[in-house]
Amino acid sequence: MTSWKLVRVIAGLLILLSLVLGMQESPLFISHYWLYFTAFIGINLLQSGFTGWCLMENIMRKLGVPAGC
């Protein structure tokens, strides 16, 4: 799996996890502050779309995950 695909999988999982932990209707609710984490991920994805730079992708590459599309 390439770094950009792995970044998107991780982002999707973290968004879903933070929604489950942050929504009061969820049986796994912990705190509504988890929704700030959801917003943080969304802002980073938006920034990455405009600039083409993603910190998580750089981390994945340093861990040996191959780059590519």
Side-chain angles (χ1 to χ4, degrees):
M1 184 175 286
T2 60
S3 61
W4 71 272
K5 285 184 181 181
L6 192 57
V7 166
R8 281 150 185 83
V9 168
I10 291 170
L13 289 173
L14 289 176
I15 287 172
L16 291 174
L17 177 66
S18 62
L19 285 173
V20 167
L21 297 175
M23 294 181 62
Q24 289 183 351
E25 298 82 15
S26 169
L28 301 175
F29 173 74
I30 293 178
S31 171
H32 68 277
Y33 290 116
W34 277 99
L35 297 178
Y36 290 124
F37 189 59
T38 306
F40 173 75
I41 297 168
I43 290 168
N44 279 309
L45 288 170
L46 184 66
Q47 169 280 130
S48 174
F50 283 113
T51 65
W53 180 81
C54 177
L55 177 62
M56 179 62 82
E57 190 168 3
N58 289 347
I59 292 170
M60 290 292 131
R61 286 182 186 170
K62 287 184 181 184
L63 291 175
V65 178
C69 53

